[in-house]
Amino acid sequence: MHSDAGLTCVRVAFFRNLNLGQRRSHSPTSAELLDAFARVGVPDARNCRSNGTVIFTAPGGTEQARAVVRILGEVCGYSDAVLVRSARWVSKVARRLPDRPGINVTLFDGRADPGLPLPWIEPTTGLEILHLDHRHAITAWPADAAYGEPCGPVLARIMETPTTTRSAATFTLLADRLTGLAAP
């Protein structure tokens, strides 16, 4: 059994609407993003994919990630939300993901669980919400759904807060990388 003991102070930043190098969306390059982390005292930051998912080491981590957003605003105009979760939390969520197509994890900092009976299917899109609490949702699209439909807006309406979504594949990759960091 794998231990998360080596993950103390390891964090994952999930930047909303950030795709490395896409200037039309005011996204930074990889070098700009990692430099911004270094400027806030986090030189060990590393990207996980190009979708604004960054692994780094810092107690807490939220203040550093928000400072990165402020720096990126000056560098490239990026000014969207960032959500930070502990590596342990990410690993725990990844271990719970169902093994089926169309699974996503949407993150947010909500006020309260809206109390939907789960699983719940959003009537207009068919999005199935399998898990929902005040910090995240695990969702699945029906097998016949047109992919590319974002689940974030559906959950943003339900939770009344900004959201960012990552695929099950990204969460699995994150968990694998974090397991490597936790290894003695």
Side-chain angles (χ1 to χ4, degrees):
M1 180 98 176
H2 145 270
S3 167
D4 291 337
L7 297 178
T8 301
C9 294
V10 176
R11 304 289 182 251
V12 180
F14 297 90
F15 291 86
R16 183 173 181 247
N17 295 322
L18 190 151
N19 292 292
L20 293 176
Q22 290 186 1
R23 285 299 194 209
R24 62 183 156 70
S25 65
H26 301 286
S27 293
T29 64
S30 178
E32 290 168 336
L33 178 59
L34 299 179
D35 179 64
F37 270 97
R39 288 174 56 187
V40 300
V42 184
D44 72 334
R46 55 205 161 282
N47 291 312
C48 180
R49 301 215 167 157
S50 61
N51 61 3
T53 305
V54 179
I55 300 169
F56 66 103
T57 305
T62 298
E63 289 308 312
Q64 291 91 337
R66 287 182 181 155
V68 165
V69 171
R70 287 190 293 276
I71 290 169
L72 293 177
E74 298 166 7
V75 170
C76 62
Y78 178 82
S79 63
D80 214 321
V82 61
L83 301 164
V84 176
R85 300 294 188 260
S86 73
R88 289 179 181 152
W89 183 89
V90 169
S91 294
K92 181 180 172 185
V93 169
R95 288 190 294 264
R96 288 192 352 239
L97 293 175
D99 184 20
R100 66 185 241 204
I103 298 293
N104 288 293
V105 179
T106 300
L107 298 105
F108 40 81
D109 288 331
R111 292 181 268 295
D113 178 345
L116 296 176
L118 300 177
W120 183 78
I121 297 177
E122 203 279 329
T124 58
T125 64
L127 178 69
E128 184 178 6
I129 299 175
L130 305 170
H131 172 87
L132 179 65
D133 62 30
H134 70 287
R135 299 188 73 195
H136 80 293
I138 298 172
T139 61
W141 285 110
D144 61 349
Y147 286 96
E149 276 191 87
C151 45
V154 171
L155 287 154
R157 282 191 307 275
I158 292 169
M159 298 306 294
E160 300 178 343
T161 191
T163 65
T164 189
T165 300
R166 300 299 186 272
S167 68
T170 294
F171 258 74
T172 300
L173 176 63
L174 270 169
D176 290 347
R177 289 192 180 172
L178 295 169
T179 297
L181 292 174

